[in-house]
Amino acid sequence: MSEVLTTPATTDVRAWLLGLQQRITNAITAIDGTPFHEDVWHKAPGEPLQGDGITRILEGGPVFERAGCGFSHVRGPKLPPSATQHRPELAGAPFEAMGVSLVFHPRNPYVPTVHMNVRMLSAAHPGEAPMAWFGGGMDLTPYYGYAEDAVHFHTVCRDALEPFGPDKYPRFKRWCDEYFFLKHRNEPRGIGGIFFDDFAEGGVANGFALLRAVGDAFLQAYLPIVERRRALPYGEREREFQLYRRGRYVEFNLVWDRGTHFGLQSGGRTESILLSMPPLAAWSYERREAPGTPEAALYRDFLTPRDWV
């Protein structure tokens, strides 16, 4: 099947994705001082998926309690339901998927958790030309909100998309707000960012260019926030709230995230799929934050969709 679906375009996308993973993990190591553990994996013949990947994980660092950044390139005989929501004509078709996905969980509660994903999928029924599309984005999940951080993050996202038309940022920002929403809690996961899926407008070249713009903007969007907040003093109260809010992150990833569902439904590598999980999280029964506290301000001022730029 790989002979049918793999094209020069997918070869270029793979090379760029591998370079992106390397650039990002190098930058995080430079900040944290801790090297990533690298796990190079291959899917054995006879497994539901074929392909390979590189999982890089940093755990127990002074800045990042857990930081996972994975590259994968897999092929399978049957596109799973989570990937055919908007392309029902490709249900059950052989497919190829590649991408870089990361989630960084900082140690300091004043540094927000961040997620970024960029990916390309292609699929075709036997005898048909393959169809390719792109998806991804980035979003920020603070535990203690700072307006200047939210404005910075969204400004970088907006500027990255500007060359592709003035409609892209408001459209992808709204998509992000709607996607990263815990329906069973009736609350957003964080302050959003940008998100897009099933993107094929303008052909493969345009889709790849937009993908590169998003991926290349990630470090500019996140690292200045890390540098501003990493040394702020905190205590047990802030740590407890961080772990409680991390529980919401776990809930979203396991209950609603299409990427997690795609990986598990298609027979992906479970350890790599779940690298987004935090090392520690907590839950409390019907917890309520006292009015006037910084914790209550997160819900009031930040966990509500709003225009930041």
Side-chain angles (χ1 to χ4, degrees):
M1 185 189 64
S2 61
E3 291 78 6
V4 175
L5 297 182
T6 299
T7 67
T10 59
T11 302
D12 292 343
V13 174
R14 178 186 169 100
W16 175 77
L17 288 169
L18 286 168
L20 178 68
Q21 183 191 37
Q22 188 67 58
R23 282 186 282 134
I24 290 174
T25 53
N26 284 349
I28 296 302
T29 290
I31 289 176
D32 192 274
T34 306
F36 280 76
H37 167 70
E38 182 173 280
D39 185 10
V40 179
W41 52 268
H42 298 268
K43 302 294 284 184
E47 293 194 37
L49 290 181
Q50 302 301 306
D52 64 286
I54 302 171
T55 299
R56 292 198 175 107
I57 187 81
L58 182 160
E59 295 185 291
V63 179
F64 292 98
E65 195 169 8
R66 192 167 198 253
C69 183
F71 163 80
S72 64
H73 183 185
V74 296
R75 306 169 187 87
K78 186 177 181 181
L79 201 62
S82 57
T84 56
Q85 181 178 348
H86 301 289
R87 298 177 183 274
E89 73 278 8
L90 291 174
F95 72 94
E96 182 170 7
M98 66 181 80
V100 164
S101 182
L102 65 83
V103 175
F104 297 159
H105 292 288
R107 186 175 296 278
N108 190 317
Y110 290 111
V111 182
T113 284
V114 72
H115 158 261
M116 193 273 290
N117 173 271
V118 281
R119 59 189 179 273
M120 174 181 178
L121 277 80
S122 58
H125 289 290
E128 297 180 358
M131 295 178 60
W133 62 98
F134 299 85
M138 64 179 97
D139 67 288
L140 199 67
T141 304
Y143 307 99
Y144 290 88
Y146 291 91
E148 66 175 313
D149 294 349
V151 170
H152 169 80
F153 191 82
H154 277 270
T155 298
V156 174
C157 289
R158 180 200 63 190
D159 293 349
L161 294 173
E162 188 64 28
F164 302 91
D167 65 306
K168 297 300 184 296
Y169 169 72
R171 177 177 150 198
F172 293 173
K173 191 262 186 195
R174 183 171 60 253
W175 201 337
C176 187
D177 289 339
E178 293 172 353
Y179 180 78
F180 291 105
F181 189 84
L182 287 82
K183 299 179 181 66
H184 63 292
R185 298 283 191 182
N186 194 34
E187 67 181 43
R189 187 170 81 173
I191 64 161
I194 52 174
F195 177 79
F196 62 100
D197 206 358
D198 299 286
F199 186 82
E201 299 169 19
V204 171
N206 186 63
F208 184 25
L210 187 144
L211 197 76
R212 292 197 305 271
V214 172
D216 291 343
F218 170 74
L219 292 175
Q220 179 188 355
Y222 185 56
L223 293 192
I225 298 172
V226 176
E227 294 292 358
R228 276 199 293 266
R229 310 297 169 201
R230 57 181 288 189
L232 293 178
Y234 66 92
E236 186 59 34
R237 169 179 167 166
E238 291 83 5
R239 176 63 168 170
E240 180 192 19
F241 187 63
Q242 178 195 44
L243 297 187
Y244 172 68
R245 291 300 308 171
R246 280 182 180 176
R248 295 290 204 268
Y249 208 90
V250 171
E251 290 178 23
F252 179 86
N253 282 18
L254 294 182
V255 176
W256 299 108
D257 187 63
R258 283 180 62 191
T260 301
H261 295 170
F262 173 85
L264 297 175
Q265 290 172 359
S266 62
R269 189 172 183 267
T270 302
E271 198 72 8
S272 296
I273 295 165
L274 297 181
L275 63 75
S276 64
M277 295 296 106
L280 295 171
W283 284 261
S284 298
Y285 186 77
E286 292 190 345
R287 174 173 173 145
R288 299 287 186 271
E289 307 305 329
T293 62
E295 293 80 12
L298 178 74
Y299 293 91
R300 184 187 69 238
D301 301 332
F302 293 89
L303 297 185
T304 55
R306 56 184 286 191
D307 293 329
W308 289 104
V309 295

